[in-house]
Amino acid sequence: MPKVGMEPIRRQQLIDATMATIDEAGLADSTIMQISRRAGVSAGIISHYFGGKDGLLEATMRHILSELGTSVARRRQAQSSSDARAHLYAIVEGNFDRSQVSQAVMKTWLAFWTTSMHKPSLQRLQRVNDRRLYSNITYQFRKHLMPEQARTAARGLAALIDGLWLRGALTPEKFDTSSAVLLACRYVDEQLDGSSTA
Amino acid sequence: MPKVGMEPIRRQQLIDATMATIDEAGLADSTIMQISRRAGVSAGIISHYFGGKDGLLEATMRHILSELGTSVARRRQAQSSSDARAHLYAIVEGNFDRSQVSQAVMKTWLAFWTTSMHKPSLQRLQRVNDRRLYSNITYQFRKHLMPEQARTAARGLAALIDGLWLRGALTPEKFDTSSAVLLACRYVDEQLDGSSTA
DNA sequence: CTTTCTTTATTGAACGATCAATCAATAAAG
DNA sequence: CTTTATTGATTGATCGTTCAATAAAGAAAG
C-alpha cells in the first residue's frame, strides 16, 4: 500500500499507541514491540520514523505539551477582555482540559515528568512549558497585586493545579475535573480579593 | 567479618544506595549492580536480603513512607492543644520536613509514584499513605467547617502540598521549603477564616 | 586450648531472558 | 526502474537471578 503521506499517519498512530501502552503497562515496561504491535505496524518502523525509542518518547511528550498549550491558548483567546480573573480562569480550565484528562494522558505525563529529571532533552521541554505557565499566571496576578504578592500567588496557583492534577492521576477513580477547576478558581478569587491585609 | 547483626546494616546501606542511585541515574537506569556497588557489596546480596530487585524497591518506598509518617507524627505530638490550625500547620511542616527534602528523596518518591500506578504492591502503600494524610486533614478542618467545606478544603490543602512538593522536585534549584510551608499555611488560614460566605 | 561443626555472610561467574537497533529483502506506487 | 514504505529475523548488549564456593565467627566437644 505504501507510497505517499504515510509518515504523519504513522507518527500519530505510534504516538497514540505509546500513550495507550504507557497507560496499560507503564513506561518502564513499554517495549517498542508492544507499541508497534498496538499501532498495527512492525517494530522496525519506529526507528524509521523516530530514529529510535527515545525519539518516539520525545515526540510523544512534545505532542502532549503541544495539546496542553493549544487548549490553554484556545480558552484565553476566547476571552475578549483583558480581565485578569477571566484569564486566570481560562488558564485553570485549559490545564484541566488537557485535550482529554484521560488516564492515558495523565499517566504518560507523570512518566515523562519522572524521566525528564534525568534526560536533558526531556527536561528542557518540561522546563520551557513550566516557565510559560508560571510567567503567564504571574503576569495576570500582577494586574492586581504587588510583584512579590503576585509571584507568591502564582507559585500557589501553579502548585495547586499540578497537585490537583497529580492526585487525579494517582487515584484510580474518575478524575472530577469540574470540582478541581472550581477549587483552583476559588483560590484565584482568594488571591485577588483578599489582598487588603498586606 | 560476617556473623551477626549484618542484616539491618546491609538493608539500610542498600536502601540508601538505592535512593542515591535513583537520584543520580533515575529508577529506569538503576541496576542492582550500580546499587550494590555503591553500597560496597556484591550484587548477589540484594537477592539474599530483599529477595530481589522488586523487594529492594518496595523496602525503599516503605522506608520513605515511614520517615514521612514519623516526621508528621512527631510535630503533631509536639502540639499539646487540639487546636485545628496548629495541627494543620504541623501536618504541613511535617510534609515539608520529609526527614530531608533532598533531591534524592524527592526523586525517589516521584519515581515510586509513577511506578505505583502499575504495581499493585506499591500502589497499596501509596494509597494507604495518601488516605491517611487526607483524612487527617479533613478531620482537622471539620472542627471549624461544614463537612462539605472541610472535604473541599482538605482536597485543596493536600493538592497544594503535593503540588509544591512536586515542583520542588522538578526544579533543579534548591527547594525553598520555608516559603512553601508559608504558602500552604496561608491557605489553611484562608480556609479557616474566610468561611463566612457559605 | 584446639579441633570440628554449624550458622551467617558474602562473593562473582554463569545463565537465561529481554530488548532496542539494524538491515537485507520485499512490495506497492508512480 | 526508482522511490517510499514496511517487514521481521538477527545481533549485540544488558540485566536480574541463581548457585556453588568461600570465609569468618561462634558453638560444641574433647
Side-chain angles (χ1 to χ4, degrees), chain B:
Chain B
M1 325 118 171
K3 182 54 218 271
V4 289
M6 276 297 107
E7 178 158 348
I9 297 172
R10 292 289 180 237
R11 286 180 70 96
Q12 192 57 54
Q13 283 176 334
L14 285 166
I15 286 172
D16 290 340
T18 300
M19 291 190 286
T21 304
I22 290 176
D23 179 38
E24 194 174 290
L27 178 56
D29 294 327
S30 292
T31 68
I32 61 167
M33 283 242 213
Q34 285 177 273
I35 295 170
S36 57
R37 186 171 162 276
R38 187 185 288 265
V41 293
S42 78
I45 214 77
I46 288 177
S47 291
H48 183 247
Y49 283 128
F50 294 96
K53 193 185 185 185
D54 285 347
L56 173 58
L57 297 181
E58 184 172 328
T60 304
M61 187 169 178
R62 279 183 193 277
H63 180 257
I64 293 179
L65 288 172
S66 167
E67 283 199 325
L68 171 62
T70 301
S71 73
V72 171
R74 187 172 2 102
R75 286 164 195 268
R76 293 191 64 190
Q77 280 160 8
Q79 294 302 128
S80 53
S81 74
S82 66
D83 180 46
R85 194 183 310 254
H87 275 272
L88 288 167
Y89 282 5
I91 291 173
V92 168
E93 283 164 16
N95 270 273
F96 287 105
D97 167 322
R98 309 246 184 192
S99 314
Q100 42 186 342
V101 200
S102 65
Q103 283 280 318
V105 172
M106 290 194 289
K107 283 187 184 176
T108 303
W109 198 303
L110 187 51
F112 279 127
W113 258 344
T114 305
T115 308
S116 73
M117 297 194 299
H118 307 283
K119 301 260 173 131
S121 63
L122 294 183
Q123 192 164 31
R124 250 182 303 114
L125 288 179
Q126 185 264 322
R127 288 275 285 172
V128 167
N129 192 263
D130 194 52
R131 282 277 169 190
R132 189 174 52 184
L133 171 66
Y134 175 74
S135 65
N136 281 341
I137 294 176
T138 306
Y139 178 79
Q140 296 301 325
F141 273 129
R142 252 193 241 262
K143 291 178 182 173
H144 294 273
L145 303 178
M146 303 286 287
E148 179 59 29
Q149 282 181 302
R151 269 195 298 269
T152 302
R155 280 225 314 151
L157 182 57
L160 193 55
I161 289 172
D162 284 349
L164 285 166
W165 188 86
L166 174 66
R167 297 189 138 250
L170 288 175
T171 59
E173 300 110 38
K174 262 280 175 290
F175 186 13
D176 186 355
T177 307
S178 59
S179 82
V181 169
L182 203 68
L183 216 159
C185 286
R186 197 181 301 177
Y187 184 82
V188 171
D189 292 337
E190 285 164 356
Q191 299 309 308
L192 288 178
D193 301 335
S195 62
S196 53
T197 47

Side-chain angles (χ1 to χ4, degrees), chain A residues 1 14 21 25 37 45 55 62 68 70 76 81 96 98-99 110 118 122 129 144 150 157 181 193 196:
Chain A
M1 325 116 173
L14 285 166
T21 304
R37 187 171 160 275
I45 214 79
R62 279 184 193 279
L68 171 62
T70 301
R76 292 191 64 189
S81 74
F96 288 105
R98 310 247 183 189
S99 313
L110 187 50
H118 308 282
L122 295 182
N129 193 264
H144 295 273
L157 182 58
V181 170
D193 301 334
S196 53

Side-chain angles (χ1 to χ4, degrees), chain A residues 12-23:
Chain A
Q12 192 57 53
Q13 284 176 331
L14 285 166
I15 286 172
D16 290 341
T18 299
M19 292 190 286
T21 304
I22 289 176
D23 178 38

